[in-house]
Amino acid sequence: MSPNPIKQLTAMDEAAQRLEELIGILSCPNDDPQVHNAALEELILCTQARGWQFAYSILQNREQVEDVLQDCYFTVYRNLGQLKDRRAFWGWFKRIVVNRCLRVKEHANLELSEIDQPAQAPDLDSKVDVRRAFGQLSTSDRTVLGL
């Protein structure tokens, strides 16, 4: 039995509306730190799966993704008041994640080039490993395909 598309749309609308409410809470100064902390925690819970997908599609490294997302959520919290249209949150958030990932990737590539490791020839006799093939793409190609 397939899911009801009307119920799915309603759930998506409710989630988007709740996200806008959380952004509103976090954008305005609040005297109660518990309210802010609860709103931030809920915002992270609502967005971490998509944030993880964005970051992992570029970095392909769990530890780096965790570090990047931590930095991104700090940036989001610090700069959320600058977001003029709450409905633009996902594009804004995605841009923060992608830019941070590209900086991490660039830094890692600079470190690897300093080591000057010889390139390995691909193993053509084995089955195609999608993750390995994806990892061999350039950062910009992985970004486009992953998003």
Side-chain angles (χ1 to χ4, degrees), residues 35-96:
V35 171
H36 248 237
N37 290 343
L40 179 61
E41 187 174 325
E42 189 176 346
L43 178 97
I44 291 170
L45 290 173
C46 291
T47 60
Q48 68 184 355
R50 283 176 76 180
W52 182 272
Q53 290 172 337
F54 299 152
Y56 195 81
S57 70
I58 297 169
L59 296 173
Q60 300 288 303
N61 180 294
R62 181 185 177 121
E63 291 81 18
Q64 286 179 334
V65 168
E66 290 170 355
D67 290 342
V68 160
L69 287 179
Q70 185 174 7
D71 289 346
C72 290
Y73 282 114
F74 180 71
T75 300
V76 165
Y77 181 72
R78 222 180 39 222
N79 298 313
L80 200 51
Q82 297 173 10
L83 183 63
K84 292 179 179 36
D85 182 0
R86 294 176 187 171
R87 292 171 296 175
F89 175 81
W90 281 114
W92 180 72
F93 178 66
K94 186 177 190 179
R95 187 77 287 180
I96 290 170

Side-chain angles (χ1 to χ4, degrees), residues 107-117:
H107 181 72
N109 287 341
L110 288 174
E111 287 178 358
L112 283 177
S113 67
E114 291 173 1
I115 296 172
D116 197 31
Q117 294 180 342

